Amino acid sequence: AQKITQTQPGMFVQEKEAVTLDCTYDTSDPSYGLFWYKQPSSGEMIFLIYQGSYDQQNATEGRYSLNFQKARKSANLVISASQLGDSAMYFCAMREKSYNTDKLIFGTGTRLQVFP
Amino acid sequence: DTGVSQDPRHKITKRGQNVTFRCDPISEHNRLYWYRQTLGQGPEFLTYFQNEAQLEKSRLLSDRFSAERPKGSFSTLEIQRTEQGDSAMYLCASSLDDPNYGYTFGSGTRLTVV
């Protein structure tokens, strides 16, 4: 079974600094997709960035980038130039899809707090 | 199409009552998913549909829970005889049948059972 591990329950970062949120995963599938979501206090899950297992380059989306190290099975999210509005829960997830299942498996999340 | 809509946003109910939640997915998405999220945890899978067919149900989905997607568009999640342990955020998401495609989530329905 696939598994996502996020070992940082909480992180603090000063405004305008960069921060890395850790994510490791476990799967036996050669093809998989990794996702990061942001969940503000309002509750909505907001898609941030995607990395495919066969992608040669690390994904980037604006201030978000994914440090993908396939051999180490890690997919860390890097947020550059942090803003106060980045304060939220961040979840790493993997899509488990086969002939008899289709679900996103989530980690336990990291609460990021950005201070002035 | 403005995304995935869920109704209501909040629901407070007395233990033992039945509740029903609605989800309207993105119209082009043929897959629809229900998740439950309790405080301090990541979302947990409940069930999913491809068009109107319910293809998988989690063991978390007890007999008191039922989900439908009658015409392959909107979906409802009903909880019968609610218990305090049902208090959670119920999230709906939709997606395409593509493993490299992420889910689009709604804002969720927060259920409180008193």
Side-chain angles (χ1 to χ4, degrees):
Chain A
Q2 299 181 342
K3 185 178 179 181
I4 296 288
T5 301
Q6 294 180 256
T7 58
Q8 305 157 315
M11 290 285 286
F12 288 88
V13 65
Q14 190 168 26
E15 199 176 6
K16 300 181 184 178
E17 297 296 311
V19 63
T20 298
L21 306 183
D22 294 343
C23 172
T24 58
Y25 60 92
D26 190 18
T27 181
S28 56
D29 292 337
S31 177
Y32 51 88
L34 295 158
F35 304 83
W36 276 92
Y37 285 84
K38 171 184 178 182
Q39 188 177 41
S41 56
S42 60
E44 183 179 2
M45 298 286 284
I46 302 168
F47 167 75
L48 296 178
I49 195 166
Y50 160 80
Q51 179 82 46
S53 58
Y54 293 122
D55 293 344
Q56 294 297 313
Q57 296 192 346
N58 288 342
T60 60
E61 288 287 347
R63 295 186 298 110
Y64 305 109
S65 60
L66 205 151
N67 183 1
F68 181 49
Q69 298 187 43
K70 196 170 181 177
R72 299 179 62 182
K73 293 189 174 180
S74 73
N76 299 339
L77 177 70
V78 181
I79 305 174
S80 62
S82 297
Q83 302 172 356
L84 296 178
D86 293 334
S87 294
M89 283 291 291
Y90 288 80
F91 290 96
C92 180
M94 174 184 292
R95 187 166 181 176
E96 180 180 359
K97 189 177 185 301
S98 68
Y99 72 96
N100 64 349
T101 192
D102 182 8
K103 61 175 74 77
L104 273 181
I105 308 296
F106 287 87
T108 52
T110 297
R111 180 172 297 282
L112 176 67
Q113 297 190 50
V114 181
F115 60 93
Chain B
D1 197 351
T2 56
V4 178
S5 300
Q6 290 189 247
D7 183 69
R9 288 296 309 275
H10 303 275
K11 179 71 176 179
I12 300 174
T13 190
K14 291 183 178 179
R15 188 173 51 186
Q17 297 294 306
N18 299 344
V19 294
T20 300
F21 310 141
R22 178 181 170 121
C23 172
D24 288 89
I26 292 174
S27 55
E28 310 89 75
H29 289 177
N30 59 346
R31 295 211 163 186
L32 185 148
Y33 311 81
W34 285 98
Y35 280 75
R36 181 172 69 186
Q37 185 179 23
T38 53
L39 204 61
Q41 300 296 317
E44 296 174 295
F45 170 79
L46 291 178
T47 188
Y48 88 94
F49 293 84
Q50 175 154 320
N51 300 315
E52 67 276 6
Q54 188 174 18
L55 298 186
E56 186 179 2
K57 293 193 291 186
S58 163
R59 286 170 291 180
L60 293 175
L61 214 65
S62 76
D63 292 344
R64 297 184 296 105
F65 288 70
S66 63
E68 294 183 343
R69 194 183 183 195
K71 297 182 180 179
S73 56
F74 74 91
S75 175
T76 58
L77 177 68
E78 180 183 16
I79 309 174
Q80 296 182 327
R81 306 180 303 281
T82 52
E83 302 172 356
Q84 286 189 321
D86 297 331
S87 296
M89 173 76 88
Y90 290 85
L91 292 162
C92 176
S94 67
S95 184
L96 298 173
D97 185 12
D98 179 343
N100 299 319
Y101 199 84
Y103 295 4
T104 302
F105 282 85
S107 298
T109 294
R110 187 173 296 280
L111 173 67
T112 303
V113 182
V114 298

